[in-house]
Amino acid sequence: MIRAMAKVAANESCDNLDEKRIVPKMMLRRRLTRSARIMVYLADACGFSEGSVVYGSAYGEMQATADIVGAIDANEPISPTAFQNSVYNTAPSYFSLLHGNKEEILTVSSGDDTSANVLQTGALQAVIKGKEVLLVCSEAINIPNIDEVNTCTDYLESGVALTLLPTEQEANIEVVKKAHADYAPSLWAMLDVFDACDGKNGCIVTLEL
């Protein structure tokens, strides 16, 4: 069962992510990467602050990675902050720090299939844990000169989230696969579910494991 959903997207940078309310401690707020800001915003929009999380990104922390590569190319010291923020689980880790969440985090990165695999992994987690699980996929690739290599998305920042609850009830929603041209393909499977359930309550979908 899909309990809650949210999405956000912008051609360059997502505005109005309500960081000051969601992350009141300034020191933590200043440390957040763009992906982490999107993550905590989507989780808040879904009303989720504690529980297992499955997070997906095809490209990971692009700005931190670019900073590290730039430092290596310039023969300069690598920033400890960039190194810390370069891992794929950066965004959900900041979410857990924010809320004191001690539940399991799983991170998935598998190119265009990322959100499809997040859905499968999230369904398994929901069945195993027997409770609600947060699924988030996001991409934040708004870095200098990205237009020279970007051919897959109009939105340089985007994210989609939903929460899953295991249920014995039969599926009542059919999810149709389609192209979401403005978004990175790594988000498409999750967006398919979002579109199928948008404006409906009590949506139940079948996920093949």
Side-chain angles (χ1 to χ4, degrees), residues 21-170:
R21 177 186 64 82
I22 298 172
V23 191
K25 293 183 178 179
M26 184 180 66
M27 291 303 294
L28 177 59
R29 189 168 66 244
R30 290 178 62 185
R31 291 166 57 190
L32 298 179
T33 64
R34 291 304 303 172
S35 294
R37 292 171 191 273
I38 293 170
M39 165 93 193
V40 298
Y41 172 82
L42 292 172
D44 181 77
C46 288
F48 191 97
S49 60
E50 184 177 1
S52 296
V53 176
V54 181
Y55 174 77
S57 174
Y59 308 110
E61 297 290 342
M62 289 282 283
Q63 186 61 66
T65 303
D67 290 344
I68 291 171
V69 172
I72 293 171
D73 182 62
N75 199 28
E76 297 175 349
I78 295 173
S79 163
T81 300
F83 184 79
Q84 171 187 309
N85 287 339
S86 66
V87 294
Y88 274 79
N89 66 339
T90 294
S93 294
Y94 277 124
F95 162 82
S96 289
L97 284 172
L98 171 64
H99 295 291
N101 182 41
K102 298 180 180 179
E103 296 286 341
E104 185 176 13
I105 295 172
L106 295 177
T107 306
V108 176
S109 183
S110 47
D112 292 352
D113 295 326
T114 295
S115 63
N117 290 342
V118 166
L119 284 166
Q120 290 182 318
T121 305
L124 281 170
Q125 284 290 87
V127 170
I128 293 169
K129 302 285 186 179
K131 57 185 179 180
E132 189 176 22
V133 177
L134 174 67
L135 280 58
V136 178
C137 280
S138 71
E139 303 296 353
I141 62 172
N142 185 23
I143 64 173
N145 304 317
I146 191 64
D147 290 340
E148 296 179 11
V149 294
N150 174 37
T151 60
C152 69
T153 177
D154 291 333
Y155 293 136
L156 297 184
E157 289 192 354
S158 59
V160 58
L162 56 87
T163 63
L164 288 180
L165 281 166
T167 179
E168 296 294 332
Q169 299 178 51
E170 294 293 325

Side-chain angles (χ1 to χ4, degrees), residues 164-185:
L164 288 180
L165 281 166
T167 179
E168 296 294 332
Q169 299 178 51
E170 294 293 325
N172 57 20
I173 294 292
E174 180 181 359
V175 178
V176 178
K177 292 183 179 181
K178 58 184 180 181
H180 302 266
D182 294 336
Y183 292 84

